[in-house]
Amino acid sequence: MSKEKFTKKILCIGAGYVGGPTMAMIAARCPQYKVTVVDINEEKIKAWESNELPIFEPGLLDVVKEARGKNLFFSTELEKNIKDSEIIFVSVNTPTKTFGEGAGKSADLQYWEKCARDIRSASESDKIIVEKSTLPVKTAIAMERILNENERGLKFEVVSNPEFLAEGTAVKDLENPDRVLIGSKETESGLKARNEIVEIFSNWIPRDRLITSNLMSAELSKLVANSFLAQRISSINSISALCEKVDANVSEVSRAIGKDSRIGNKFLHASVGFGGSCFKKDILNLVYLCETFGLYEVAAYWESIVKMNEYQETRFVQTINKALFNTVTNKRIALFGFAFKANTSDTRESPAFYITKKLMEEKAHVVISDPKAIKNAKVDLKDFNNKIEYEIDPYKAAHQAHAIAIITEWDLYKELDYEKIYNNMERPAFIFDGRNILDHQKLFEIGFNVYPIGKPHLIHFNES
Ligand SMILES: NC(=O)c1ccc[n+]([C@@H]2O[C@H](COP(=O)([O-])OP(=O)(O)OC[C@H]3O[C@@H](n4cnc5c(N)ncnc54)[C@H](O)[C@@H]3O)[C@@H](O)[C@H]2O)c1
């Protein structure tokens, strides 16, 4: 298909965890469109053009290869590509603000606003701008004002299309999403723009899963969806603390309540805590929004989800310290996993970071093992780098260790030969299963002292 025959020219600004996979899927499912992804990070763009993609996501390379060079292109040339496109998705990072008003809670919109200004100055024709990034409610209205304040009479319509993919299952989620949400103004031009975006996704997604709303509902729904998901995790984690006190088993409790169809069984898995770049950021964004409107009780309710998560991380480190006779100093502790969850190399806000930091403060000898995330872990822990050991092979990481802590639920950790591992560890040997993925009874029979989350500890001596 020659370039002239493309029926839509789509640009995405931001080639990260969302922009890259989302655009690859659109390009692969819609060969009639030309899709270009730009980023200011040259190294990232080179990686997208190679077979060593900048992010690890199962199945992603195949999707990229399906379209790359045909109708999917990666570039660092912003201006030219803005000029050349009709629809621009903006998928840049929107981290929590670290300075000034709203620091620690509200979203830092500088990257987003810069994009809006870049789009305005480079454009020579009307365009639809799609918010893919997660943004505070009413950002679209503000952006439309900035964009439409131009001297060339150009008309920009901003549409909200928040992304609900989960890292680790991004390809599956994009291929077969529960829903795609498209919000717009309910004016004639707003509805026209909305329909253009609906048309893109209707190339492979059934119409009944393409839901539409007004702009503010779409923006708010994304914050609320992540807050509800995180709330489920914090709820079950809070119960895990109680289970440990009363000899209940949190997995049995989860199963019992999850069978209730009103509750459902998803996201009821107790763990060391949630991580990732979005949950905490989006909840705090919601909290800030509530505070802005004087809804202090609502804000406090949602903020408690984050506090419970921090409590769970702290509790995990305290359990390690207490079990190891109240001192981890100079003890070799192998962390199995550094990614914030399995099947991703992403370590942003991973509980592993907090746990490592706390163990380092206690002068433990920390060894980090992870099949995909060691490169990112080294960046995150650069302040400690000469004191931390990195070892991709879990057997070597656990060699002569006092304890193993499972931080990420990688399948490979379920399949290790724990007898072999135990035979090479210091005595007494401890295992802290922060994801409840191992066979605890079997580990106990091998000789380990086993500390799951929210379940009775299995130990070979009297715990005082
Ligand atoms: N990661 C997820 O699972 C996920 C899921 C749903 C929604 N989101 C939201 O999507 C947005 C993007 O998240 P991400 O995880 O993909 O972030 P990311 O940090 O992986 O990617 C953002 C990219 O934008 C680029 N960028 C920033 N400013 C730019 C500019 N002016 N011009 C060109 N490129 C620029 C950065 O270099 C970076 O590569 C965020 O708002 C996030 O909350 C993320």
Side-chain angles (χ1 to χ4, degrees):
M1 190 180 286
S2 85
K3 280 184 190 176
E4 289 65 39
K5 292 214 183 121
F6 291 126
T7 56
K8 278 190 208 294
K9 284 185 270 177
I10 297 173
L11 174 68
C12 176
I13 305 180
Y17 284 88
V18 168
T22 315
M23 292 303 122
M25 185 59 74
I26 292 179
R29 294 297 160 267
C30 314
Q32 71 276 28
Y33 303 157
K34 180 185 177 193
V35 180
T36 307
V37 191
V38 290
D39 203 291
I40 39 176
N41 184 329
E42 211 167 303
E43 204 186 317
K44 212 176 252 190
I45 291 299
K46 278 201 191 118
W48 279 111
E49 286 172 327
S50 77
N51 286 343
E52 297 287 327
L53 301 183
I55 60 173
F56 171 72
E57 202 46 76
L60 181 59
L61 185 58
D62 291 340
V63 180
V64 170
K65 280 181 166 173
E66 232 179 293
R68 196 170 54 192
K70 295 180 198 144
N71 66 327
L72 174 66
F73 306 93
F74 295 94
S75 165
T76 50
E77 274 185 84
L78 190 59
E79 212 180 302
K80 173 184 159 293
N81 282 301
I82 289 173
K83 273 192 186 74
D84 201 34
S85 59
E86 294 147 358
I87 298 173
I88 303 180
F89 286 76
V90 184
S91 188
V92 300
N93 32 330
T94 50
T96 303
K97 216 174 157 202
T98 53
F99 53 88
E101 179 96 17
K105 278 188 187 153
S106 77
D108 185 346
L109 295 178
Q110 60 172 312
Y111 308 102
W112 228 97
E113 187 170 331
K114 182 172 181 317
C115 283
R117 289 179 191 276
D118 287 344
I119 292 170
R120 187 179 65 179
S121 68
S123 292
E124 290 174 349
S125 56
D126 297 352
K127 296 186 197 305
I128 298 172
I129 311 302
V130 188
E131 282 183 348
K132 241 316 166 207
S133 302
T134 305
L135 292 157
V137 181
K138 293 197 169 171
T139 305
I141 302 287
M143 290 303 151
E144 211 170 85
R145 273 190 202 134
I146 294 175
L147 286 161
N148 285 325
E149 198 66 32
N150 66 77
E151 283 148 16
R152 277 157 290 164
L154 299 177
K155 181 92 185 71
F156 295 91
E157 199 69 45
V158 180
V159 173
S160 168
N161 169 225
E163 185 50 60
F164 294 104
L165 70 78
E167 285 177 31
T169 53
V171 171
K172 204 171 110 265
D173 298 342
L174 289 167
E175 176 94 63
N176 190 20
D178 289 341
R179 75 330 203 164
V180 170
L181 175 59
I182 299 145
S184 71
K185 284 198 307 206
E186 288 169 324
T187 57
E188 199 187 330
S189 59
L191 293 174
K192 191 162 167 271
R194 178 196 286 187
N195 288 339
E196 284 252 9
I197 308 307
V198 167
E199 193 188 306
I200 296 176
F201 292 103
S202 64
N203 278 290
W204 78 98
I205 299 164
R207 280 279 175 156
D208 61 355
R209 286 195 234 156
L210 303 180
I211 55 177
T212 55
S213 71
N214 77 24
L215 269 178
M216 277 66 79
S217 304
E219 290 174 326
L220 184 58
S221 299
K222 174 64 197 177
L223 299 182
V224 174
N226 270 354
S227 301
F228 267 63
L229 290 169
Q231 178 205 43
R232 303 255 309 180
I233 299 173
S234 276
S235 295
I236 199 67
N237 280 345
S238 73
I239 297 303
S240 76
L242 183 59
C243 286
E244 287 171 33
K245 296 286 180 206
V246 299
D247 285 345
N249 178 326
V250 75
S251 297
E252 291 176 356
V253 175
S254 291
R255 195 180 60 216
I257 64 167
K259 286 279 181 197
D260 186 327
S261 58
R262 293 167 302 176
I263 296 174
N265 60 8
K266 305 253 173 72
F267 267 64
L268 283 183
H269 194 79
S271 71
V272 64
F274 60 75
S277 66
C278 294
F279 279 2
K280 183 174 167 191
K281 162 176 87 70
D282 294 351
I283 295 171
L284 292 176
N285 217 322
L286 186 66
V287 168
Y288 185 69
L289 196 65
C290 295
E291 285 172 351
T292 304
F293 291 102
L295 300 172
Y296 299 108
E297 286 76 7
V298 184
Y301 171 74
W302 287 106
E303 196 164 10
S304 73
I305 310 301
V306 174
K307 287 188 180 148
M308 182 52 61
N309 198 53
E310 288 165 359
Y311 169 70
Q312 190 74 347
E313 291 172 345
T314 307
R315 216 165 67 74
F316 189 70
V317 180
Q318 284 169 347
T319 303
I320 296 177
N321 200 41
K322 187 162 175 247
L324 294 182
F325 315 106
N326 293 311
T327 175
V328 293
T329 305
N330 295 327
K331 288 182 180 163
R332 184 177 172 95
I333 300 179
L335 299 193
F336 280 10
F338 200 87
F340 84 91
K341 66 171 173 178
N343 298 319
T344 179
S345 52
D346 195 352
T347 59
R348 293 177 290 181
E349 295 290 341
S350 174
F353 177 77
Y354 172 84
I355 291 160
T356 306
K357 194 166 154 277
K358 284 285 157 199
L359 291 172
M360 292 304 291
E361 280 167 16
E362 293 295 332
K363 300 192 189 312
H365 176 171
V366 178
V367 189
I368 290 169
S369 193
D370 190 291
K372 298 283 176 197
I374 286 189
K375 193 171 158 207
N376 284 336
K378 285 183 181 170
V379 175
D380 297 345
L381 297 165
K382 57 184 178 312
D383 293 345
F384 299 104
N385 257 358
N386 49 8
K387 296 201 190 107
I388 294 175
E389 200 177 318
Y390 298 92
E391 175 51 69
I392 194 160
D393 180 343
Y395 292 99
K396 288 188 188 155
H399 192 79
Q400 291 182 340
H402 291 257
I404 296 168
I406 309 281
I407 310 294
T408 312
E409 71 279 24
W410 287 106
D411 276 345
L412 84 99
Y413 298 141
K414 298 180 202 163
E415 287 143 20
L416 298 175
D417 179 348
Y418 281 96
E419 193 135 13
K420 181 173 156 194
I421 288 177
Y422 177 77
N423 288 335
N424 288 314
M425 284 178 68
E426 290 290 327
R427 299 286 185 275
F430 294 83
I431 196 153
F432 301 89
D433 187 356
R435 295 285 173 176
N436 283 347
I437 54 169
L438 304 180
D439 182 338
H440 301 137
Q441 186 58 34
K442 196 168 156 202
L443 291 170
F444 178 65
E445 283 161 18
I446 290 172
F448 281 103
N449 295 294
V450 189
Y451 292 75
I453 300 267
K455 301 182 187 202
H457 302 157
L458 300 172
I459 43 187
H460 293 281
F461 41 83
N462 280 337
E463 212 177 19
S464 56

